[in-house]
């Protein structure tokens, strides 16, 4: 198991398929919610979309690794 280059803690590996699937689903929900004219519903859709993009990038670029100590994706895992 790789270690975090910042703090040296062992990294946790999340399932990449789940991360990518959840991110894609959140982005799809965003496009569905943006068609409503209610402002707070559209704002919720944008928030869900941002989370979806983060999960998608974590699953693809970050390779699913997470540091519990730093609470982030390690910088050299990108």
């Amino acid at each position: 198991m790789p270690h975090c280059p910042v703090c040296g803690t062992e990294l946790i590996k999340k399932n990449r398929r789940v991360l990518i699937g959840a991110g894609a689903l959140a982005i799809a929900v965003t496009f569905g919610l943006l068609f409503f004219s209610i402002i707070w519903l559209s704002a919720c859709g944008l928030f869900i979309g941002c989370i979806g993009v983060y999960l998608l990038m974590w699953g693809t670029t970050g390779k699913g690794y997470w540091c519990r100590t730093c609470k982030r994706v390690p910088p050299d895992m990108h």
Side-chain angles (χ1 to χ4, degrees):
M1 196 64 110
H3 293 281
C4 178
V6 177
C7 65
T9 308
E10 189 172 329
L11 296 174
I12 298 169
K13 175 91 168 154
K14 300 289 184 179
N15 190 344
R16 290 177 74 183
R17 288 183 183 173
V18 172
L19 291 172
I20 293 170
L25 181 65
I27 292 171
V29 167
T30 298
F31 285 118
L33 289 177
L34 288 178
F35 290 114
F36 290 102
S37 62
I38 303 171
I39 189 72
W40 63 268
L41 198 55
S42 295
C44 290
L46 288 175
F47 182 70
I48 292 171
C50 290
I51 292 172
V53 168
Y54 178 78
L55 289 174
L56 199 60
M57 294 305 293
W58 181 17
T60 56
T61 314
K63 298 178 186 145
Y65 286 110
W66 179 257
C67 179
R68 277 192 181 160
T69 306
C70 298
K71 305 285 189 244
R72 63 182 174 159
V73 177
D76 69 345
M77 290 293 164
H78 297 307

